[in-house]
Amino acid sequence: MILSIESSCDDSSLALTRLADCKLLFHTKLSQDSHHSPFGGVVPEIASRLHAENLPLLLSKLTDFLRTLTPSAPLSPLKAIVIANRPGLSVTLSEGMCMANALALSLNLPLICLNHLKGHIYSLFIDTPHAHISGGLGVLLVSGGHTQILHMRDYEHITLVAQSLDDSFGESFDKVAKMLSLGYPGGPIVESYAAKHSGALLPMPIPLLRDKRLSFSFSGLKNAVRLEILKAQGITENGAQSIVEGGALEELRAQICASFQEAACAHILNKLRIYFERYGAHFTHFGVVGGASANAFLRAKIESLCHEFDKRLILAPLEFCADNAAMIGRLACEAYARRDFSPLNDTISPKSLAEDFLRDCGVGI
């Protein structure tokens, strides 16, 4: 079995995966949401310190599990140590890398360094020994740091088709929640407020609506939310206090959240429609991954689109949408089979490396 470590942002996670059949044997995770919520987003220094505290605690739990299998030598079944060393926050990636190096060196095991985003793709295949989809797999990755369309033929052929020009889908939810003083993480909070609203929506721009490029952008939509909030504050300053106090304030928040979510998801769907029309002949399945893929409104819209284009939709289990070590372990099964080992090092990267994804978006996608 292999031990995988995830510390790319604000979730500390360890997992054990059996190499023979890619079965997830053990998974543990500690979230930092309550620590970052007062600040409306992740504070890197706090995240780094908490990883330093949490990772040893998780390793102790993992060792206790292994002790039930091999009491005298609990770590002896391990065949490799796996770490997601890119992309992410440098100060948090470093914490995971320190643990990975220490374990690999002390146990004399190979080290496998992997791309965290590829791990999200493999969240679709946790507990599944066969990850290859012969007809091709299109993927939407939506998280706090990334919004991408990826195309996968197999482990070695993953093409980056489109990505955001500025904010990510998940980041925009966090920032809208912060502007409305709703807390962090913003994704589930904004979604829950949006579900409360059933009336008229505020006019929100759908980004890049007439632009046929496969790119995403959320900064303009985020600014439109800011302007709506300023408009409400302006009314308050003119004396109409009831509009943004008490129940009216909650109604306004719900209306803004619903309007924003509708426009953000419409933007995603518009770009996916272009991708389906342009490259639909090259894939039979479509997956949605990443922390923000837990959004039920977005999932329902994409399900309808897949039905329209006769594509089979596959989704990661909700517990494995956000960052986790289980998906890194599943990806590592493929790397281990290819002996794709890494030298002991402290190399981390806040961005994906150029060689991580293919860039050819032509017919040979």
Side-chain angles (χ1 to χ4, degrees), residues 9-288:
C9 190
D10 61 333
D11 286 315
S12 305
S13 182
L14 268 65
L16 290 169
T17 306
R18 189 162 59 201
L19 286 165
D21 56 3
C22 304
K23 176 73 174 178
L24 178 64
L25 301 177
F26 177 86
H27 176 248
T28 183
K29 174 177 171 176
L30 282 174
S31 173
Q32 302 178 6
D33 289 349
S34 62
H35 297 271
H36 298 288
S37 183
F39 305 98
V42 176
V43 181
E45 292 78 5
I46 295 176
S48 177
R49 174 174 55 79
L50 290 172
H51 279 303
E53 296 174 4
N54 292 339
L55 287 172
L57 297 176
L58 298 182
L59 182 61
S60 178
K61 291 176 62 177
L62 182 144
T63 304
D64 289 342
F65 171 80
L66 284 171
R67 195 169 281 117
T68 65
L69 305 179
T70 52
S72 59
L75 299 179
S76 61
L78 298 180
K79 299 299 182 184
I81 305 299
V82 185
I83 178 68
N85 73 332
R86 66 196 187 276
L89 297 174
S90 296
V91 292
T92 62
L93 289 169
S94 295
E95 297 296 338
M97 181 59 82
C98 285
M99 172 175 278
N101 275 318
L103 288 170
L105 182 61
S106 62
L107 299 172
N108 193 28
L109 293 174
L111 177 68
I112 302 176
C113 297
L114 296 173
N115 185 294
H116 163 84
L117 302 181
K118 287 186 177 181
H120 273 301
I121 297 175
Y122 275 79
S123 67
L124 297 169
F125 307 114
I126 293 173
D127 280 336
T128 304
H130 303 293
H132 177 66
I133 295 178
S134 59
L137 172 69
V139 177
L140 172 70
L141 192 161
V142 279
S143 68
H146 298 83
T147 302
Q148 297 178 334
I149 298 175
L150 300 154
H151 182 90
M152 177 178 169
R153 285 166 49 197
D154 52 46
Y155 173 81
E156 296 172 330
H157 297 87
I158 301 177
T159 302
L160 176 61
V161 179
Q163 59 185 335
S164 179
L165 302 173
D166 40 63
D167 293 348
S168 72
F169 180 76
E171 180 185 7
S172 65
F173 274 74
D174 288 338
K175 290 182 176 177
V176 167
K178 185 175 183 179
M179 286 187 284
L180 291 170
S181 301
L182 296 178
Y184 173 87
I189 298 173
V190 170
E191 183 181 7
S192 66
Y193 265 82
K196 299 175 184 178
H197 183 73
S198 58
L201 297 177
L202 297 168
M204 293 277 178
I206 299 175
L208 307 178
L209 182 59
R210 293 175 177 80
D211 192 326
K212 297 303 180 183
R213 291 178 300 166
L214 277 173
S215 297
F216 298 100
S217 173
F218 294 93
S219 60
L221 178 56
K222 179 188 66 179
N223 188 56
V225 171
R226 183 183 67 85
L227 293 176
E228 288 295 337
I229 294 172
L230 288 176
K231 186 187 300 182
Q233 290 174 339
I235 294 173
T236 301
E237 291 167 0
N238 291 332
Q241 296 286 334
S242 61
I243 293 180
V244 289
E245 287 186 344
L249 174 59
E250 290 299 283
E251 290 177 12
L252 177 63
R253 283 171 163 169
Q255 185 183 35
I256 289 176
C257 286
S259 303
F260 160 76
Q261 179 176 259
E262 177 78 28
C265 290
H267 175 41
I268 293 285
L269 267 292
N270 285 343
K271 295 304 178 181
L272 286 183
R273 179 173 292 277
I274 293 174
Y275 171 64
F276 277 47
E277 291 172 347
R278 196 172 293 175
Y279 300 117
H282 299 284
F283 63 95
T284 57
H285 293 65
F286 189 76
V288 187

Side-chain angles (χ1 to χ4, degrees), residues 344-362:
L344 288 178
N345 64 86
D346 58 357
T347 302
I348 57 173
S349 176
K351 296 182 179 181
S352 296
L353 303 178
E355 60 267 27
D356 284 338
F357 298 106
L358 305 176
R359 300 284 171 164
D360 177 21
C361 293

Side-chain angles (χ1 to χ4, degrees), residues 300-336:
K301 294 289 186 180
I302 293 177
E303 183 177 14
S304 296
L305 185 70
C306 287
H307 180 74
E308 178 184 343
F309 282 86
D310 195 26
K311 306 299 179 185
R312 181 180 175 185
L313 177 64
I314 52 178
L315 301 166
L318 288 176
E319 65 180 309
F320 298 125
C321 288
D323 298 346
N324 64 87
M327 68 186 192
I328 304 302
R330 179 60 189 86
L331 172 64
C333 289
E334 308 291 329
Y336 188 91

